[in-house]
Amino acid sequence: RKGYCVPATWARYLRYMGIPADEYTLANAAQTRKGGGTSASQMLAAVAQLAKQNRRGIKTLTGKITLRRVSASIDDGLPIMWRMYSIGPFEGVGQPAGRMGAESPAAWKAALEPARRAAKQLKPAPDERHMCLIIGYNPLTEEIATSDSWGPEHAEKWYTVEEVQAVCQGEQFFIDW
C-alpha cells in the first residue's frame, strides 16, 4: 500500500544476492514519493553503488522479453527485475502456482490459448508503472513466473509470454554474481 514496489523489489533481490538491504533506506536514496513513484534511474544509481561495494554488477536488458532471455538468466540463478505496467487490463490475469492442477503441460498450454489471444488487446497504462521479479519459466507451456512485493498471495504468479510482452516497459535488470 505504500507504493514502494521498486525499493521493495530491489531490497528483495539484494538480500537474495547476500547483500544486506532495507527497502526504506533504498526508498530514501531514490527519493521515492509517499504513495509511490520511484525514479528508476535514481534507484539504479543507488543500487549500482551498493552492488559495486559488494563486488557485484548490475546488467540492463532492453527489448522484448523472451523465454530464451528469461531462461538464460534464471538458469544462472539470477531473477530479473521486471519493469512493467501493472494496473488496468493486466491486473488479475496471473495464475497461481497450482494453476495446472492435474492437466498435462500440453493440455494446459492449449487451455492458455484464449489468454494468449486476449494479450493482444492489453493496452499498457503508462501512469501505472510497476516492478516485480521474474523468477521462473516453463518452456513446455510458454509461461513466465513472477514474484511481487504485494504480499504472500503474489509470491508466485504465472503469465503467458504474450501477456508479459504486452505490458513490459522494455528495460529489465539483474544483479550479476
Side-chain angles (χ1 to χ4, degrees):
R1 297 190 190 281
K2 295 181 296 277
Y4 272 33
C5 65
V6 173
T9 303
W10 274 107
R12 289 174 68 201
Y13 201 141
L14 288 163
R15 288 191 302 264
Y16 168 76
M17 297 297 288
I19 301 170
D22 175 77
E23 73 179 84
Y24 300 102
T25 303
L26 292 174
N28 204 21
Q31 300 176 5
T32 299
R33 295 184 308 275
K34 185 178 180 180
T38 303
S39 162
S41 60
Q42 285 180 298
M43 181 58 72
L44 190 57
V47 174
Q49 199 170 36
L50 185 57
K52 186 176 180 180
Q53 291 169 355
N54 287 274
R55 299 181 186 165
R56 304 272 196 270
I58 296 175
K59 305 285 186 192
T60 302
L61 302 171
T62 56
K64 195 174 189 180
I65 289 183
T66 63
L67 278 178
R68 177 180 276 185
R69 260 193 173 175
V70 170
S71 67
S73 187
I74 298 299
D75 290 352
D76 284 342
L78 300 170
I80 298 170
M81 303 287 297
W82 180 35
R83 293 182 61 208
M84 44 98 74
Y85 301 101
S86 177
I87 311 300
F90 189 68
E91 189 174 23
V93 299
Q95 298 286 324
R99 70 207 178 283
M100 290 172 52
E103 289 197 57
S104 70
W108 181 249
K109 183 178 179 180
L112 289 173
E113 279 310 309
R116 292 181 200 289
R117 286 191 302 275
K120 294 176 184 171
Q121 305 305 313
L122 291 175
K123 301 289 184 235
D127 293 338
E128 304 295 345
R129 296 171 189 262
H130 185 56
M131 180 178 269
C132 63
L133 293 170
I134 292 178
I135 60 168
Y137 67 100
N138 185 329
L140 299 176
T141 60
E142 298 178 6
E143 293 175 284
I144 293 175
T146 67
S147 182
D148 214 313
S149 62
W150 289 341
E153 64 275 13
H154 300 280
E156 181 181 332
K157 289 219 173 155
W158 289 82
Y159 300 91
T160 67
V161 171
E162 293 83 359
E163 290 167 331
V164 169
Q165 289 172 345
V167 297
C168 186
Q169 288 186 32
E171 186 176 59
Q172 286 35 256
F173 309 99
F174 66 90
I175 302 172
D176 208 355
W177 296 109

